[in-house]
Amino acid sequence: MESRVRFAPTPMDPPWPYSASKVLSRPKRELSTDDVIKRLRRFSRNGLLKMGAEILWYAWNHSDVLENGAPGSIGNFITRTYSERLITLAGAFASSHNRAEPAEVDFRLLCWELHQCSDGPVLGPDVLQEVSSRLVQLPKDSPLRKLDTAFTHRLMIEAFKARIVAAQFEGRIWDKASLIRPLLIARELASLGRKAGGDAYDRAERQFFLTSLEGFFRAAWAIYTKASDGVRIEAASPRGPVIVHDHGRFRGDSWQFDSESQEHVGLTEDDVRAVTSRLSMPLSKYAERRAALRQMDPAVRKYDGLADVLVTRPLVDLELERLGEDFLLPSPWRFISGMGTFVLHEFVSFLQAHRATALGGQDAYALRGEAFGNYLRDLLRARPGVHDCDAPEMGGLTSRKPDFLWVGEEYGVMVEAKVFLRPNEDRLLVDATSAVETWRRAAETISQAVGLLRNSRAVLERHIRLPEKWVLIVVSNEDLIESTTGFKGVARAGNLLDGTGLDALALLSSSEFEDWVVHGSPDELARQAVQAWSNLKPGDLGYDSRVSRQSSQRESELPHIAEAWSSLIPA
């Protein structure tokens, strides 16, 4: 998917006529999420799950239906955006007793109605006061302290834009690195964990995953492959019974691995059971979220993590016969991104809770950040012009410094690795203070860059040729990191780079940065960053802040990603 983000209002009327539905009629007033929940309760719970899965798998396999300008693209986009949330709400509130089976148009209309629900007072006085209070509590040396309370309105516009982008695009960018990169970072974490905790780390890892780390990922890919084919069932048609694929469905007892496959691939039925056990939620458990969802502010309910179970538990145990036999993988997007969430968020949280034994008392989140830096370090090793600021030969540098320098003929690029910028517990920045915390973390990178330029220039000059012009690149393992944090707009509008010696700031995802490193140059990256920075107009909903390589087509798969896939899934 192209990384350009445009903001444009959708029409009030859906692309599908209400006359096509046998159950739903056109609303006579603006709906709230409470109203949408009442309307979805007219349909069978299992029917809504099945229809949502069919629509999502079709869009996954036919990505052209989501492209700008394609027939029905706006409707398809809105359906995809809200399908997973509608599935969660259906699981929590709907019933399968004496309810109508939904047609495709019913599911799509419900998604449209959920989209049209009001987002509430984004710039209300309570929100603005809360953000202003949070700003004045920041450390005095934070660059964000340059922003006075009069700037709060602008901040909240950027936060709201970031929330919308995250809600619509979180986990939607797929390439072959999307599944394998979390494994590579987790391997680096395991190396650090074993140094800190020894055998206790290995026991903790096994306790959490119920199998080995590699076995867990192999089984996840096997489940995805199985679910993509679906369960073949007999269905009635005007021409008689036909065999159809129930996409996303698979049975937990349908795996048969011969000894040769187990030895060659390293995949067992126990691995598969581990994944289905850890990444699934029984359908009956969805109802336990009902009370919490009802108590939530309706204006933000559709954005809250409680309204999207599939983000963390992308498999549904349908409990058709008994627990652990019939599963549904409704959204391939949620499954792929959910693997990364499970490994790099939930597992790290588990390690943090058991750090006294598993990590010898060390902080799991700090080790995760170090692991991400080591992952990038392996990628950057032996690249021309790259200097590791933590290398022994760079001793004497200030403690506040970026992770790497990538030096070209004209520009120097400072690279700071931040595995995640947004808070673990509020990825969509539903709470306004979560946006401030995100920007605080991002602003730390400016302080680190300034500290290096001001306090360590003499040390640097002993090791490398210093260019006169510098840009700062923040690399995070999050898709569309600029748009989903809003920090670049905040930094530009607040003049946070004034007097720093930096000509530009850019935030890149891991995939974007790796593409630059393998196929680009520091000067080309810096020039693109400076151009995007100078053209940036905060508050302009149509600006394009991409810092992307200019190439006619994307090159072949990145070498380290291809090698990792080969080691995980032997040919």
Side-chain angles (χ1 to χ4, degrees):
M1 187 201 73
E2 186 179 295
S3 60
R4 179 178 175 111
V5 176
R6 292 185 179 90
F7 288 84
T10 51
M12 291 299 297
D13 292 329
W16 318 279
Y18 276 94
S19 59
S21 171
K22 296 180 180 180
V23 179
L24 296 175
S25 58
R26 181 184 299 277
K28 296 180 179 180
R29 57 177 175 80
E30 182 178 315
L31 298 178
S32 67
T33 51
D34 287 327
D35 297 321
V36 174
I37 288 171
K38 291 177 182 178
R39 290 165 73 84
L40 69 83
R41 283 176 53 83
R42 302 176 188 178
F43 299 98
S44 160
R45 179 185 64 181
N46 286 8
L48 288 169
L49 266 65
K50 178 181 176 181
M51 182 57 68
E54 286 293 331
I55 291 173
L56 286 168
W57 275 99
Y58 184 86
W60 174 266
N61 292 321
H62 303 82
S63 58
D64 54 298
V65 303
L66 298 167
E67 294 178 358
N68 289 332
S73 60
I74 293 179
N76 292 331
F77 180 82
I78 295 301
T79 301
R80 184 192 67 171
T81 297
Y82 290 95
S83 285
E84 293 96 351
R85 294 176 177 82
L86 195 71
I87 286 171
T88 293
L89 294 176
F93 293 98
S95 169
S96 289
H97 181 65
N98 291 335
R99 297 295 192 273
E101 290 296 322
E104 180 179 343
V105 68
D106 295 316
F107 191 91
R108 290 183 178 274
L109 285 171
L110 288 169
C111 287
W112 188 271
E113 291 173 0
L114 188 59
H115 164 67
Q116 293 286 6
C117 290
S118 171
D119 290 307
V122 179
L123 299 177
D126 292 342
V127 174
L128 296 177
Q129 179 59 44
E130 187 177 10
V131 171
S132 296
S133 298
R134 182 71 179 87
L135 284 173
V136 298
Q137 294 171 9
L138 292 172
K140 292 183 178 180
D141 59 349
S142 171
L144 289 182
R145 290 296 296 267
K146 294 174 64 176
L147 309 177
D148 57 33
T149 54
F151 201 77
T152 306
H153 282 80
R154 177 70 61 81
L155 292 177
M156 294 319 302
I157 291 173
E158 294 295 336
F160 180 68
K161 287 161 52 182
R163 179 202 296 175
I164 296 300
V165 174
Q168 296 184 358
F169 292 100
E170 180 84 18
R172 301 298 188 186
I173 298 177
W174 157 253
D175 56 31
K176 288 196 72 175
S178 300
L179 180 64
I180 208 73
R181 187 180 292 110
L183 172 60
L184 296 177
I185 299 171
R187 284 175 177 171
E188 296 290 348
L189 176 61
S191 177
L192 295 170
R194 291 186 182 104
K195 290 179 182 177
D199 292 342
Y201 172 86
D202 288 319
R203 289 193 294 271
E205 183 183 278
R206 190 90 186 182
Q207 179 185 353
F208 183 82
F209 290 109
L210 306 180
T211 183
S212 68
L213 183 63
E214 277 72 14
F216 197 84
F217 273 83
R218 288 192 188 100
W221 186 248
I223 286 172
Y224 161 80
T225 304
K226 191 91 166 177
S228 65
D229 189 44
V231 174
R232 299 185 181 190
I233 59 175
E234 186 177 286
S237 77
R239 298 181 180 179
V242 295
I243 300 298
V244 299
H245 289 260
D246 207 352
H247 287 101
R249 284 273 306 279
F250 66 93
R251 288 186 60 83
D253 58 0
S254 63
W255 304 86
Q256 294 180 348
F257 299 111
D258 55 42
S259 58
E260 182 178 353
S261 296
Q262 292 184 35
E263 182 178 352
H264 181 64
V265 180
L267 180 64
T268 68
E269 292 182 37
D270 287 341
D271 295 332
V272 173
R273 279 193 289 269
V275 175
T276 55
S277 172
R278 300 298 279 128
L279 292 186
S280 69
M281 178 183 285
L283 187 53
S284 59
K285 292 285 187 180
Y286 275 62
E288 295 179 3
R289 298 194 169 206
R290 190 180 299 165
L293 285 166
R294 279 177 171 160
Q295 294 171 6
M296 197 176 297
D297 181 358
V300 298
R301 182 184 289 140
K302 65 181 179 180
Y303 295 117
D304 196 275
L306 279 175
D308 194 351
V309 172
L310 300 179
V311 167
T312 55
R313 293 296 177 268
L315 300 177
V316 183
D317 188 334
L318 296 174
E319 305 174 286
L320 296 181
E321 296 179 11
R322 58 180 179 267
L323 197 67
E325 288 200 356
D326 290 277
F327 294 93
L328 179 66
L329 193 165
S331 171
W333 285 282
R334 287 293 188 264
F335 184 75
I336 298 298
S337 64
M339 281 293 294
T341 299
F342 189 71
V343 174
L344 298 180
H345 289 285
E346 287 195 47
F347 177 48
V348 174
S349 177
F350 173 82
L351 289 176
Q352 181 71 357
H354 297 83
R355 63 187 181 276
T357 54
L359 299 176
Q362 293 198 39
D363 185 272
Y365 296 104
L367 289 180
R368 181 182 65 179
E370 187 177 346
F372 182 56
N374 289 344
Y375 164 75
L376 293 180
R377 189 167 283 109
D378 286 342
L379 173 70
L380 293 169
R381 186 173 288 115
R383 296 284 174 186
V386 172
H387 303 274
D388 185 348
C389 292
D390 289 322
E393 61 269 20
M394 298 291 280
L397 295 180
T398 177
S399 59
R400 303 189 71 179
K401 58 184 182 294
D403 292 304
F404 309 99
L405 304 178
W406 193 17
V407 179
E409 294 297 321
E410 182 182 4
Y411 282 95
V413 176
M414 296 187 179
V415 180
E416 174 61 22
K418 293 284 189 183
V419 60
F420 298 110
L421 286 172
R422 291 174 292 163
N424 294 342
E425 65 280 0
D426 188 9
R427 307 287 297 156
L428 299 189
L429 308 184
V430 176
D431 190 317
T433 59
S434 297
V436 179
E437 173 60 20
T438 298
W439 300 331
R440 182 195 65 77
R441 296 176 183 179
E444 288 177 349
T445 66
I446 298 176
S447 299
Q448 290 170 295
V450 172
L452 185 68
L453 288 177
R454 290 179 178 172
N455 303 323
S456 299
R457 180 173 292 273
V459 177
L460 288 173
E461 288 176 338
R462 293 202 298 266
H463 300 285
I464 61 177
R465 180 193 61 80
L466 291 184
E468 292 298 321
K469 295 184 288 187
W470 291 88
V471 302
L472 172 61
I473 303 295
V474 182
V475 183
S476 178
N477 197 50
E478 301 177 85
D479 294 333
L480 293 174
I481 186 62
E482 285 193 350
S483 300
T484 56
T485 62
F487 178 69
K488 187 172 176 179
V490 170
R492 187 74 171 93
N495 301 314
L496 299 190
L497 296 191
D498 286 3
T500 64
L502 297 170
D503 290 351
L505 161 73
L507 292 82
L508 300 181
S509 68
S510 299
S511 182
E512 291 169 328
F513 180 67
E514 290 165 18
D515 186 49
W516 273 106
V517 169
V518 174
H519 302 297
S521 71
D523 285 327
E524 184 186 5
L525 170 57
R527 283 191 288 267
Q528 286 283 332
V530 170
Q531 181 178 358
W533 180 260
S534 62
N535 292 338
L536 182 59
K537 298 179 177 62
D540 182 356
L541 298 183
Y543 73 79
D544 181 4
S545 64
R546 291 177 302 171
V547 179
S548 57
R549 289 193 315 107
Q550 303 299 309
S551 58
S552 57
Q553 60 182 12
R554 187 179 178 84
E555 282 81 358
S556 59
E557 191 175 13
L558 297 172
H560 69 295
I561 297 298
E563 180 182 348
W565 268 107
S566 297
S567 68
L568 184 68
I569 311 291

